[in-house]
Amino acid sequence: MLKDPKDKLANLLNSKSPTRVFTETNHSQGEAPALSRNPGSPTIQLIEKQQGTKILFRKFSETNWSVDIQPLNKSLVTDSKWKRIDATQEKRRSFLQEFCKKYGGVSRPQSHVFHMVSRIYVEDKHKILYCEVPKAGCSNWKRILMVLNGLAPSAYNISHDAVHYGKHLKKLDSFDLKGIYSRLNTYTKAVFVRDPMERLVSAFRDKFEHPNSYYHPVFGKAIIKKYRPNACEEALNNGSGVKFREFIHYLLDSHRPVGMDIHWEKVSKLCYPCLIHYDFVGKFETLEEDANYFLQLIGAPKELKFPNFKDRHSSDKRTNAQVVGQYLKDLTRTERQLIYDFYYLDYLMFNYTTPFL
């Protein structure tokens, strides 16, 4: 049985556990937050360990940040074919705004301003702020930003490494406070999200089912050591072959042997959508049409279209509901419930339906 939404939100939003400021590394990995010592049920522990939300809202309420989302400037959109997508977009914006009005004032999370905007990319020419959500089309969005910045002629010939390790794009936390606030108040802010369970499985497939010189030794070794009884020496030494259920045990563990990572971190803690009021809410499920409509809104060159190719492991089937079902079938109902609890705010904020419970 799902818990009563009001009770769960009260626990999530009124939690007083502190938030640590993560220090980003080259691989965007942060230290796991301190968790509750309450010896209660796993679900209660998961709810209680959600990042505390009181002080940060207070910090932001003391700034000059805008309270309401701004109407989108649709003067550059002339084709009537976008009407349906525009109507969907307005519903998403309104839903998120109403959610934040209803629940956001209850609590105010603690974090550092620069950390809060550390996942937001800046494109000054077209006045865009894009919050990166890994496994929700972010690689191709970075390609688009590089083209808009004049750093490449086409999104189709930019390599994965150039996108993620080239350091070509500016992030909002590279500016001083005045630069941050002025851009947040005047630029068009976009976030693209994905069904949390689908995003989680996609991250696991990408990082643990293919050779990876970072995730296997850093995460894989620690996961196998803690969650696989009688692990063989080879697995302990190279960290390869992590099973999905072992990965889930790591995710749900209140004492993880290695910290969180942006690829499976909650969107509510990557982009702070009840504090940073996004003007555009795109979804991976309708990525191409949402992205191309957004490009129309910001006056991008007409020939620039959002690329639809798979960034890596192109021979693999895309992660969809059917693929997710195959991964979840070996989990217990309790484990599936706990994953839902973990991503509960993301499910509610972006109006995703209850997953495979």
Side-chain angles (χ1 to χ4, degrees):
M1 294 268 309
L2 292 177
K3 292 185 171 292
D4 185 283
K6 292 182 180 178
D7 292 342
K8 188 176 290 187
L9 274 171
N11 280 322
L12 282 170
L13 296 173
N14 290 313
S15 169
K16 295 183 179 179
S17 58
T19 298
R20 292 186 185 180
V21 178
F22 294 172
T23 301
E24 182 184 353
T25 69
N26 288 336
H27 298 279
S28 301
Q29 184 212 340
E31 181 185 359
L35 303 177
S36 171
R37 298 180 182 177
N38 188 339
S41 70
T43 302
I44 295 299
Q45 287 185 13
L46 276 173
I47 294 172
E48 288 178 346
K49 83 177 183 182
Q50 298 290 333
Q51 296 298 310
T53 54
K54 288 197 170 178
I55 298 177
L56 183 56
F57 266 108
R58 187 179 306 120
K59 182 189 297 257
F60 271 71
S61 68
E62 292 168 357
T63 70
N64 293 320
W65 292 38
S66 57
V67 175
D68 296 316
I69 55 175
Q70 300 300 314
L72 287 170
N73 179 3
K74 301 171 186 176
S75 61
L76 298 174
V77 180
T78 57
D79 197 326
S80 61
K81 72 177 183 179
W82 301 110
K83 285 184 177 180
R84 175 183 56 83
I85 301 169
D86 176 67
T88 300
Q89 182 57 218
E90 291 299 333
K91 288 179 183 177
R92 290 177 189 164
R93 282 162 30 106
S94 296
F95 185 92
L96 179 59
Q97 184 182 31
E98 288 305 311
F99 174 89
C100 293
K101 281 184 177 179
K102 187 172 182 179
Y103 299 110
V106 174
S107 59
R108 307 180 179 233
Q110 175 183 358
S111 187
H112 193 284
V113 171
F114 288 95
H115 168 67
M116 286 182 36
V117 300
S118 63
R119 302 255 51 93
I120 297 179
Y121 285 85
V122 179
E123 202 281 288
D124 283 317
K125 182 178 178 182
H126 296 84
K127 297 187 175 182
I128 301 168
L129 297 180
Y130 162 72
C131 187
E132 174 193 29
V133 176
K135 312 312 299 177
C138 71
S139 296
N140 282 338
W141 260 117
K142 289 180 187 176
R143 290 182 170 95
I144 288 291
L145 293 177
M146 290 177 69
V147 174
L148 291 173
N149 267 295
L151 299 169
S154 168
Y156 285 87
N157 54 13
I158 307 173
S159 71
H160 175 87
D161 286 351
V163 166
H164 290 285
Y165 308 119
K167 306 296 182 185
H168 302 295
L169 299 171
K170 292 181 290 186
K171 287 186 176 180
L172 193 53
D173 64 349
S174 66
F175 297 88
D176 60 18
L177 285 174
K178 182 179 179 181
I180 291 173
Y181 294 146
S182 65
R183 285 170 175 81
L184 283 169
N185 280 309
T186 58
Y187 283 23
T188 303
K189 301 174 288 295
V191 60
F192 277 70
V193 299
R194 186 177 187 177
D195 176 272
M197 201 77 80
E198 199 173 289
R199 181 173 163 251
L200 177 67
V201 172
S202 177
F204 172 78
R205 295 177 72 198
D206 180 27
K207 303 308 178 188
F208 295 104
E209 291 188 347
H210 296 273
N212 192 297
S213 60
Y214 173 71
Y215 284 90
H216 290 193
V218 174
F219 285 86
K221 289 168 69 172
I223 290 172
I224 290 171
K225 181 179 180 180
K226 182 164 185 180
Y227 307 107
R228 184 181 299 178
N230 305 313
C232 69
E233 198 67 28
E234 181 181 3
L236 290 169
N237 286 335
N238 61 31
S240 298
V242 170
K243 301 180 188 308
F244 185 64
R245 193 169 192 177
E246 295 168 339
F247 174 65
I248 295 305
H249 287 172
Y250 144 80
L251 181 77
L252 301 177
D253 191 349
S254 60
H255 301 284
R256 298 185 192 98
V258 62
M260 277 294 288
D261 182 87
I262 63 168
H263 291 85
W264 45 86
E265 181 60 280
K266 298 175 273 291
V267 177
S268 54
K269 286 174 58 180
L270 291 173
C271 298
Y272 296 91
C274 279
L275 292 171
I276 299 169
H277 301 289
Y278 290 94
D279 305 297
F280 194 95
V281 180
K283 290 193 173 183
F284 185 83
E285 293 77 11
T286 50
L287 178 58
E288 266 191 87
E289 60 182 25
D290 287 352
N292 286 324
Y293 178 51
F294 181 77
L295 292 176
Q296 290 273 318
L297 286 170
I298 55 96
K302 292 187 181 300
E303 65 274 11
L304 181 61
K305 305 297 180 187
F306 193 82
N308 59 5
F309 61 84
K310 204 166 183 284
D311 187 54
R312 293 199 299 174
H313 318 310
S314 56
S315 62
D316 290 359
K317 183 178 180 179
R318 282 191 184 272
T319 303
N320 56 24
Q322 182 182 10
V323 171
V324 172
Q326 292 299 309
Y327 281 81
L328 296 185
K329 68 180 182 180
D330 294 329
L331 301 182
T332 66
R333 181 178 175 82
T334 298
E335 288 167 336
R336 296 196 297 270
Q337 173 73 54
L338 292 175
I339 298 172
Y340 176 70
D341 289 343
F342 186 84
Y343 290 109
Y344 185 71
L345 278 180
D346 285 2
Y347 273 105
L348 263 62
M349 282 181 174
F350 301 108
N351 201 21
Y352 281 108
T353 56
T354 304
F356 311 78
L357 296 177

